[in-house]
Amino acid sequence: MTYSFDRRKFLRAVSALGLETALQSLAPAYAQGWNDAGLTRVRPGPKEVNLVIREQWIPIAEGRGKAVTVNGTVPAPILRFHEGDDLTIHVKNEMPVTASIHWHGILLPFDMDGVPGVSFPGIHAGDTFTYRYKLRQSGTYWYHSHSGFQEQSGLYGPFLIDPIKPESYHYDREYVVLFSDWTFENPDRVIAKIKKLPSYYNFQQRTVPDFFRDASRRGLGAALADRLMWGRMRMSPTDILDITGYTYTYLVNGLSPAGNWTGLFNNGERIRLRFINSGAMTIFDVRIPGLDMTVVQADGIDVRPVTVHELRMGAAETYDVIVQPQEDKAYTIFAEAMDRSGYGAATLAPRAGMRGPIPPRRERPLRTMADMGMAHAGSMGGHGSMKGHDMGGSNEKGPPGPGGAAGHESHGQSTAAAPPSGTPGQHAGHAPDQKTMSMPGMQHGAQGMTMSTAPKPEMPGYKKEMVKHGPDHHGPGNAMVAEMPAGRLDEPGTGLEDADWKVLVYTDLHKLEADTDLRPPQHEIELHLTGNMERNMWSINGKKFSEDPAPIPLRYGEKTRFTLVNDTMMDHPMHIHGMFMVLENGSGAHNPYMHTILVKAGERLSFYVTPDEKGPFVFHCHLLFHMELGMFRVFRVLTEAEEAK
């Protein structure tokens, strides 16, 4: 069976689902991308797909941009399959440079994973590469390029897999809601700018008036000492995201807020929204003011339903939620950048042409003592961190948006600063008490990591208390050390500490089906996420991948626990290929399976993996520029026989 675009067939299919009116509101470059697989369920069996990668100028976000397209569109077409399908996907590269497609979160043989230089040579100019693998999972996933900045330039799309077993939750209709960031600048120029001046795109830094406000409120000595401390660290408390709304246009399903992507509903219907953060460098805070969101799936895996009002989505994370509008009005799907420099927005409505209200921009957040891994015991209650205004100066109304330029409004930039609006609910950050455990000691070698045989541990649990940082073997590529990193899984994160509604935290996630493999880990590995913000260097254990390319060995079928320590003051969405990370959040046999974990600044967390495919797979930060600049490693999965050779 070959999928090819047929407009009449496509419109007949979506009309049957009541989606045609909604799709007519989409820009042509986007609507033509959602082929006849659409959101109709597919039957099991062999599937054959043809994809063509090109570089072309397309209309996007009220302008025209040079994009990397798949079958002529940005985003790329929805690919929808059935668990158990045997896939044959032909990808032709019509660009003058090497291209690739990585199937994000999909379990497959290493040589089908799509990482040039690791799993295959890449798809050279003019060539066609055929991916062949069998689907052995279900859920919401996505695909994107793993070559240069092609992902930033538009090569990303949804990848849906229908399950064999009936789902445990009911819904009447569904939509993919894909968040992304777009720049009209050449990505090579963007990275060159931040290498020369890391704060190039940060128009929300503290100012002289901020200093005088702090001095008036806290005293001159305290305000001055605060500025000197940050200066010595060569950091800024406003360093939240490297790339901001000054250059980014934030998109939902390929459309800016002015484009107003719309999903239709009938009152009382249960709607499944498949949220995908395909942003190259953006962490989004997602909410639908006026609607509860019941999370039923995280990173493609079913979880026990949990009702929330806001989600923080690290780059590459996916969440499936169910909402049930009861009123005859439009609701806004609002995706606010973590640094509050802009937003993406779309609409759920009973009729086409409606638009929900846009919430005002919230105050830009500030980094805290906890983000530096320096929190004291008094800060570990409640949220586990000090409030933004307790450290790092004023948290009062900031500047009116990027550079004060109101002209960016249609690109998702807000120029008003005001308290947020939304659905009141349970206060964020209050998770049930979790069992704790003493983690076996980690050994640091000359390279900052060694594999060792672990003593038999207690049942894995969530370790909330602080752990003193061990000897520093991180080298010149590390600007700071988190002296007292702590478990922060039950915290909503920087900028969400004082939300007056329920924000999802990782301790809320409990895998629906219990694990049967409860063996203790046989090995322990500790990795430190390191970097130098002033020089825009990003690394693992103080070394860029180019400085430490040797693969980290894992044993086929054996369980290895990883402990990650974030020694930087930025959040990093860490992604693993070819396997799931089982996050130790205190849920025991119901610990969640994740392909991407957002590691907060100054955080220490643990997960374990049990590889069931041999060969090299990569582990990296999914902030694209961080990966390209060195926060990248290769795991090589070996059998005992191979390891003995």
Side-chain angles (χ1 to χ4, degrees):
M1 175 179 180
T2 301
Y3 289 138
S4 60
F5 180 71
D6 182 312
R7 181 174 174 79
R8 291 183 180 179
K9 183 178 178 183
F10 169 59
L11 290 177
R12 284 198 301 270
V14 297
S15 180
L17 290 176
L19 306 179
E20 179 176 357
T21 305
L23 287 166
Q24 287 175 346
S25 71
L26 306 179
Y30 168 76
Q32 293 177 4
W34 306 92
N35 60 23
D36 60 342
L39 289 182
T40 58
R41 289 184 172 266
V42 297
R43 296 179 179 178
K47 299 295 190 303
E48 188 170 357
V49 178
N50 292 291
L51 303 176
V52 179
I53 300 173
R54 299 187 184 95
E55 190 174 56
Q56 59 190 109
W57 288 88
I58 65 168
I60 190 167
E62 298 76 59
R64 285 182 62 81
K66 191 175 185 180
V68 178
T69 67
V70 177
N71 292 2
T73 73
V74 172
I78 290 178
L79 300 182
R80 187 162 199 165
F81 306 107
H82 193 277
E83 185 179 0
D85 283 349
D86 288 303
L87 301 189
T88 302
I89 305 177
H90 308 287
V91 181
K92 183 177 182 181
N93 178 18
E94 294 189 352
M95 298 197 302
V97 297
T98 298
S100 63
I101 289 182
H102 162 61
W103 314 100
H104 187 104
I106 304 301
L107 305 174
L108 37 59
F110 82 91
D111 54 353
M112 296 290 108
D113 192 44
V115 181
V118 176
S119 56
F120 81 140
I123 310 171
H124 299 301
D127 288 353
T128 297
F129 182 83
T130 299
Y131 294 89
R132 289 188 175 90
Y133 53 92
K134 186 181 185 71
L135 293 176
R136 43 196 174 93
Q137 64 198 100
S138 61
T140 300
Y141 302 95
W142 61 298
Y143 63 103
H144 59 84
S145 174
H146 230 286
S147 299
F149 299 125
Q150 293 169 13
E151 178 189 342
Q152 174 72 91
S153 298
L155 205 168
Y156 51 83
F159 191 101
L160 314 181
I161 310 172
D162 294 326
I164 293 175
K165 297 179 181 179
E167 292 164 320
S168 61
Y169 37 87
H170 166 73
Y171 51 94
D172 300 297
R173 67 173 76 199
E174 61 180 323
Y175 294 105
V176 171
V177 183
L178 183 144
F179 308 109
S180 60
D181 43 35
W182 170 265
T183 175
F184 288 95
E185 294 187 82
N186 185 318
D188 289 292
R189 287 181 56 82
V190 172
I191 200 168
K193 289 176 180 178
I194 64 172
K195 284 292 289 181
K196 295 172 184 174
L197 182 63
S199 60
Y200 184 92
Y201 293 104
N202 184 0
F203 281 76
Q204 301 191 106
Q205 296 187 69
R206 296 187 297 180
T207 63
V208 171
D210 288 331
F211 173 77
F212 285 114
R213 276 196 296 266
D214 288 351
S216 175
R217 189 180 72 231
R218 304 167 57 196
L220 179 62
L224 185 60
D226 172 69
R227 270 28 176 214
L228 291 173
M229 181 193 69
W230 285 99
R232 285 193 299 270
M233 293 189 299
R234 297 186 178 182
M235 294 179 182
S236 167
T238 65
D239 285 336
I240 307 296
L241 296 175
D242 302 73
I243 316 297
T244 73
Y246 177 72
T247 186
Y248 272 156
T249 299
Y250 299 107
L251 308 177
V252 180
N253 289 346
L255 297 180
S256 70
N260 192 33
W261 180 89
T262 303
L264 299 184
F265 66 83
N266 296 317
N267 285 356
E269 282 187 326
R270 291 170 58 84
I271 305 168
R272 178 180 185 172
L273 302 175
R274 297 176 180 262
F275 289 149
I276 302 171
N277 183 0
S278 61
M281 288 293 292
T282 304
I283 297 168
F284 286 108
D285 292 331
V286 180
R287 54 194 162 114
I288 308 176
L291 287 181
D292 293 349
M293 300 183 292
T294 300
V295 179
V296 295
Q297 195 179 95
D299 281 359
I301 305 298
D302 287 348
V303 296
R304 293 174 182 169
V306 55
T307 298
V308 302
H309 305 107
E310 187 160 19
L311 303 164
R312 170 153 288 175
M313 296 189 66
E317 288 192 295
T318 72
Y319 285 103
D320 286 37
V321 306
I322 293 177
V323 298
Q324 191 171 19
Q326 299 285 359
E327 299 183 58
D328 186 48
K329 69 175 187 179
Y331 297 87
T332 299
I333 301 173
F334 191 67
E336 191 174 23
M338 179 182 174
D339 69 341
R340 313 301 180 222
S341 65
Y343 61 86
T347 300
L348 291 176
R351 293 174 298 281
M354 300 179 71
R355 185 188 294 267
I358 299 295
R361 179 173 70 104
R362 290 179 281 195
E363 296 174 349
R364 56 97 163 93
L366 295 172
R367 292 297 186 186
T368 69
M369 291 282 284
D371 297 319
M372 291 186 283
M374 295 171 60
H376 53 74
S379 72
M380 296 306 294
H383 303 301
S385 66
M386 301 177 71
K387 307 300 183 188
H389 57 268
D390 289 340
M391 182 68 188
S394 171
N395 198 26
E396 311 224 356
K397 181 183 292 187
H408 286 277
E409 183 71 29
S410 65
H411 287 179
Q413 319 309 323
S414 173
T415 57
S421 61
T423 305
Q426 177 184 343
H427 197 283
H430 294 283
D433 290 338
Q434 305 293 337
K435 294 181 180 179
T436 60
M437 65 170 289
S438 296
M439 303 286 283
M442 305 300 171
Q443 296 181 3
H444 287 266
Q447 301 303 317
M449 179 280 294
T450 61
M451 177 181 284
S452 63
T453 300
K456 184 176 180 180
E458 303 170 32
M459 177 63 70
Y462 166 43
K463 189 177 180 67
K464 173 69 177 173
E465 58 264 29
M466 298 172 288
V467 177
K468 184 171 176 56
H469 199 292
D472 179 20
H473 296 291
H474 301 328
N478 192 46
M480 64 171 286
V481 167
E483 293 288 353
M484 298 293 289
R488 306 185 69 184
L489 298 181
D490 60 347
E491 299 176 31
T494 299
L496 296 176
E497 303 93 339
D498 297 321
D500 291 325
W501 47 75
K502 171 61 180 173
V503 179
L504 184 77
V505 294
Y506 277 160
T507 48
D508 291 326
L509 298 178
H510 311 283
K511 185 169 171 282
L512 189 62
E513 294 186 2
D515 275 351
T516 57
D517 181 6
L518 299 180
R519 296 174 299 164
Q522 289 124 304
H523 312 285
E524 295 275 353
I525 295 177
E526 180 166 319
L527 298 175
H528 288 247
L529 309 180
T530 49
N532 187 321
M533 185 68 185
E534 184 71 14
R535 300 171 63 187
N536 236 299
M537 297 168 60
W538 301 105
S539 55
I540 293 177
N541 288 344
K543 292 189 176 182
K544 299 182 293 184
F545 176 63
S546 60
E547 298 169 331
D548 188 14
I552 297 172
L554 297 179
R555 296 190 182 114
Y556 179 84
E558 293 190 358
K559 185 178 293 187
T560 298
R561 174 186 283 135
F562 284 86
T563 294
L564 296 185
V565 179
N566 188 353
D567 281 323
T568 79
M569 282 193 61
M570 299 198 77
D571 295 15
H572 298 284
M574 301 304 296
H575 169 53
I576 197 167
H577 289 219
M579 62 199 87
F580 278 98
M581 299 176 282
V582 183
L583 179 64
E584 295 185 352
N585 73 344
S587 301
H590 294 274
N591 283 333
Y593 279 40
M594 309 183 76
H595 54 61
T596 308
I597 296 174
L598 183 62
V599 187
K600 299 179 185 70
E603 182 171 30
R604 179 187 181 93
L605 60 79
S606 295
F607 64 85
Y608 59 84
V609 299
T610 307
D612 61 359
E613 290 283 353
K614 294 179 290 185
F617 291 98
V618 302
F619 176 70
H620 62 88
C621 179
H622 219 284
L623 295 175
L624 180 61
F625 294 170
H626 289 194
M627 180 190 74
E628 291 290 331
L629 292 171
M631 194 173 277
F632 181 101
R633 284 297 183 273
V634 175
F635 296 155
R636 186 165 190 88
V637 182
L638 304 172
T639 64
E640 288 186 9
E642 290 172 320
E643 192 174 17
K645 291 181 179 178

